[in-house]
Amino acid sequence: MLNSYSSEDKVLLSVDCIIFGFDNEGLKILLIKRDFEPEKGKWSLMGGFLKKEESLNNAATRVLNHYTGLQNIYMEQLYAFSEVDRDPVDRTISVAYYALINIENHNTELIKNYHAEWFNISNMPKLIFDHDDMVAHAIRRLRYRTSTKPVGFELLPEKFTMRQLLELYEAILDKELDKRNFISKINSLDILVKLNEKDMQSSRKGSYLYMFDKEKYDAKLLNNFALNL
Amino acid sequence: MLNSYSSEDKVLLSVDCIIFGFDNEGLKILLIKRDFEPEKGKWSLMGGFLKKEESLNNAATRVLNHYTGLQNIYMEQLYAFSEVDRDPVDRTISVAYYALINIENHNTELIKNYHAEWFNISNMPKLIFDHDDMVAHAIRRLRYRTSTKPVGFELLPEKFTMRQLLELYEAILDKELDKRNFISKINSLDILVKLNEKDMQSSRKGSYLYMFDKEKYDAKLLNNFALNL
DNA sequence: ATTAATTAGTGTAGAGTGGACACTTTGTGG
DNA sequence: CCACAAAGTGTCCACTCTACACTAATTAAT
């Protein structure tokens, strides 16, 4: 009685990854220049096909690793895109994922080989197929996610200043935040460690570096995390 | 150069629908008794396979219509479930949708024929495969959705009392709400019409019936809708 | 050595929102 | 006409959110 679904249609399933990074220029997305037809030479998200023996999460992780060399990255499934004519080559349903990476850590050799580039989210080229929709979804989800998870820390280096954290949240939410209110809200979460170490790049006075306290955070997540900026 | 994806694996894609309804006994889900192997006789969500020439939204709408006779129903895509061994028959990825229906409107003949039944969400049988996960996801999403969309009105008859609306939200959120605070929050949304008509079933005094004001609501959605209960 | 320049760092008051709380009104059934 | 049952209605307190401006620390320039 197994294989009783044999009369049903089978389709191609792909994953496409919206990869977010952050540096002093703002919030960015990693895009790749397609080197095959159709739409050769156009910009695209990083994608790949689901193999029969893996889950979608595995496929997304595999694709991310393939293009960036990174592992153990925060990823989240977004949405399945399935319009009949979304891919002109063959009927393909694509499940979009987004990832938050520390822009300093990825393998820059790899992305050069793939003709990949970082684009500021406010200055992106038109993408192939429905990839623009996917990006719009991802940005919406990321904005919402700031209120339920400390997403910011995924995007920053291990040690960072309050100013960097503030500017990251401003970039994600696309609005100005009050410095004092921001700092007191972040401090009230009680998930940061203030280091005895200053970053001297940004000013003459120098600003303290902070780290994310994973233990305190894990304890907090079990109860409740909420951050309204 | 078309059909260049020919070496990739193809898989079965299905949709499974979590169908919510509400009556005076509480929030309910419509389940179906499987009449084929494997897991014949076990309870299951209503599902169907994606056909090559339709989108996932269309497939979900088709499945809902097939089992309930309903059209133009609020549905929302939830999540794609893709563990490799989730379906023992064949490799199948399933995209879960949830729907909100007015429990009085569906075709009761149809659901009898399909051996479908309504179950209170606090008293559900164990479901096949990963359908329990899907339901848990759907309830979480529905709870969140109350704060961003007036989901409640989808689940009630056209005319309803404040008490019904209150009890619906209590059932969705699984907590008691203060009657006065609830009513003032709902009224401050300004999307209800109070009718000159009373429901005399529930009490000797009778309670006013309300309707949802679609126009005011549409206007409001464009700006902002927020309801924190 | 003094000064100028630059960013870091810090607290408070006022407004608005959310939550707790109890009594009166209304109409029917007995 | 009285008893009953649910409907309907407003206030106060606590907390949270937001707006807002000055001092501290250090280095570079002279």
Side-chain angles (χ1 to χ4, degrees), chain B residues 17-21 64 73-76 97-101 155:
Chain B
C17 298
I18 295 99
I19 302 173
F20 287 107
L64 180 73
I73 293 300
Y74 181 86
M75 293 193 87
E76 183 179 333
Y97 277 75
Y98 77 94
L100 305 179
I101 78 170
L155 289 154

Side-chain angles (χ1 to χ4, degrees), chain A residues 119-136:
Chain A
F119 287 87
N120 199 297
I121 56 166
S122 58
N123 187 27
M124 280 181 31
K126 164 105 183 58
L127 306 182
I128 63 163
F129 304 169
D130 48 7
H131 288 194
D132 288 316
D133 285 348
M134 292 179 179
V135 171

Side-chain angles (χ1 to χ4, degrees), chain A residues 3-5 8-12 49 51-56 77 79-80 82 84 87 89 91 144, chain B residues 3-5 8-12 49 51-56 77 79-80 82 84 87 89 91 144:
Chain A
N3 283 310
S4 63
Y5 305 153
E8 305 293 343
D9 294 343
K10 292 194 176 189
V11 294
L12 288 162
F49 287 96
K51 297 180 192 300
K52 204 162 178 182
E53 297 301 328
E54 68 182 354
S55 66
L56 286 164
Q77 189 192 112
Y79 199 79
S82 63
V84 171
D87 184 326
V89 181
R91 177 80 176 109
Y144 163 64
Chain B
N3 282 311
S4 64
Y5 305 153
E8 305 292 343
D9 294 342
K10 291 193 176 188
V11 294
L12 289 163
F49 287 96
K51 296 179 192 302
K52 203 163 179 179
E53 297 301 329
E54 68 182 352
S55 66
L56 285 164
Q77 189 192 112
Y79 199 79
S82 63
V84 172
D87 185 324
V89 180
R91 178 81 176 110
Y144 163 63

